[in-house]
Amino acid sequence: MDALRRLFVSSLAPLSASSQLDGDGKSTSLEPSAMTTPKPFPLLALPNEIIQQILGHLRPLELVELSLTCLSLRSHAANDLLWARFVQENLPVPQSSPSPCHTWRELYTAHYPYWFLPRHKIWFADKATVGNGLAGQLIFARYDSRLGSIEAYRLVAEIGRDHEAELWEWNPTVRIHRFNPKIRLFLDNPVIKLNLGDLSATRRLHQEVLMQREADQRLHGIRSMLFLSRAIPNELQDSTMSLWPPSIVPATNRVRNESPTMFKGEGHKPQHADQISETNFRLRKWSEFRSQGGRSSVRMGEDVLTFSTLPSDCYTPSAEKPYQGIWVGDYASHGCEFLLLTQWSQKETQEQDLVVPGSPSTYLYGDSDTNEDDSDTEVTTIETEDPPGCSGRLEAIKLTGDPHVPRGEHTWIAEDIGRGGLIRVADERDFKGARIVKSWSHIAASGFRDDRYIRSQLILISHDSLAMYWEDFGHVSFYTRVNIDDYLNLDS
């Protein structure tokens, strides 16, 4: 890319040498001898196919800047195949046409700079729109080619019970609560709906875009505006800042999620394109009550939600890390909650210097009153080597939470799912053949008070199904993998 820029500079040199500005800003010609034999424009001397290949390495703003140099390069930069690539690289499903726009360039321009929304797909918030703020919310963003709009909807789940709780054959005092969650996108009320024409022609970096919905035509309702955020450089972050996402969640960038001005100051918004955080954005929400006829209105309860995405490599399963992904868990009276499961190799665990809950020297999560001698964690199976994919550390982080343990906190940690943490291999009917490993589960009083970790046992049923034996509570609950692609399809 640097070599390409040097080529552009050298190509433009003859143009800049042919004229100059005088003290009044007027153009004056140089000596006639310099004008009679202008040097050829090196870039334009190349075949058109080569020029297009070179331009194919440029980003959109660089292509725009290049188009301002001369009419010939402007024509090359307008090649719609270049702009088709910019759209397609942001969409998980390739599009065959820019419809309803006439050109790919028109389509890309219409939604710039918000193409990162469908590109990253998964977004989770620091607050819920209504109800308990600690719950947060998980949304999936996608592009609707029928309308040319970018949309995002909440992912919701309902607990499905096939039958009543049953007793565990291995320990008849423990109740097993089966889990068959009903997962869907809540299509009735989009969190984001960015239509063609919603963005202004200027000041897009500062614009707060009103999300137009049918509900906005009613007298009363919740309104929202979408706007960009600006990342806090790593060197400026410290423990006193309220940042989103929290430090335990893998992230490329972090932004503030508290502001006395409700993020209305210019310092919270990007001033130029390279300051845009493409892994975070914000929604301003408020309740609005209008008089009959809409001549006056009252705005109440304004709040700002901060959203972040997840690096794809932290939720994409692999042969070495088959348990990674987005999961949904059964939290009894709290309902279903969505989790991020990250799997760390033993080497990564050592390099990251991850805290081990329960260790006398590193226990940072509050005192545990669980006596190790009272635990049901007697090791009855010994392995000489770890099975494929069953090694290292497994962490479950809440993407949505409840009044006790909120979003952005660990819900459980298995320090070693390999032979180092193995308790036994189940031989009872309920979990026959499943490996059961030691784990720690996170509990707290309402309002996330007095949080602590208690001993538990993680049951590795399959790469798509897990169960947790909560020793202190005497019950087993389940976790199921969420198939992300099922909710990116417009027919879901």
Side-chain angles (χ1 to χ4, degrees), residues 22 39 41 120 144 153 170 209 225 233 307 342 356 376:
D22 62 15
K39 295 182 179 180
F41 203 45
H120 292 304
D144 187 341
Y153 299 91
W170 178 75
V209 188
M225 290 196 295
F307 286 80
T342 58
V356 180
D376 290 337

Side-chain angles (χ1 to χ4, degrees), residues 17 19 21 58 75 77 107 121 135 150 165 193 216 220 251 263 321 326 373 399-400:
S19 63
L21 298 179
L58 297 182
S75 177
L107 177 58
K121 301 174 289 192
I150 294 175
K193 189 170 180 62
D216 291 335
H220 315 306
F263 300 100
K321 300 179 178 182
I326 307 299
D373 295 334
L399 298 178
T400 60

Side-chain angles (χ1 to χ4, degrees), residues 39 41 78 110 114 118-119 130 141 155 181 183 187 191 193 214-216 248 288 298 351 361 365 375 405 445 463-464:
K39 295 182 179 180
F41 203 45
Y114 286 99
R119 181 171 79 243
V130 294
L155 191 67
I183 308 172
L187 299 176
V191 177
K193 189 170 180 62
E214 291 182 3
D216 291 335
I248 66 171
E288 190 167 292
V298 176
E351 290 175 348
S361 60
Y365 301 99
S375 174
V405 179
H463 296 159
D464 298 322

Side-chain angles (χ1 to χ4, degrees), residues 335-349:
C336 295
E337 297 181 21
F338 293 103
L339 316 174
L340 167 68
L341 262 63
T342 58
Q343 191 171 349
W344 304 80
S345 67
Q346 293 179 343
K347 181 180 179 181
E348 289 172 329
T349 301

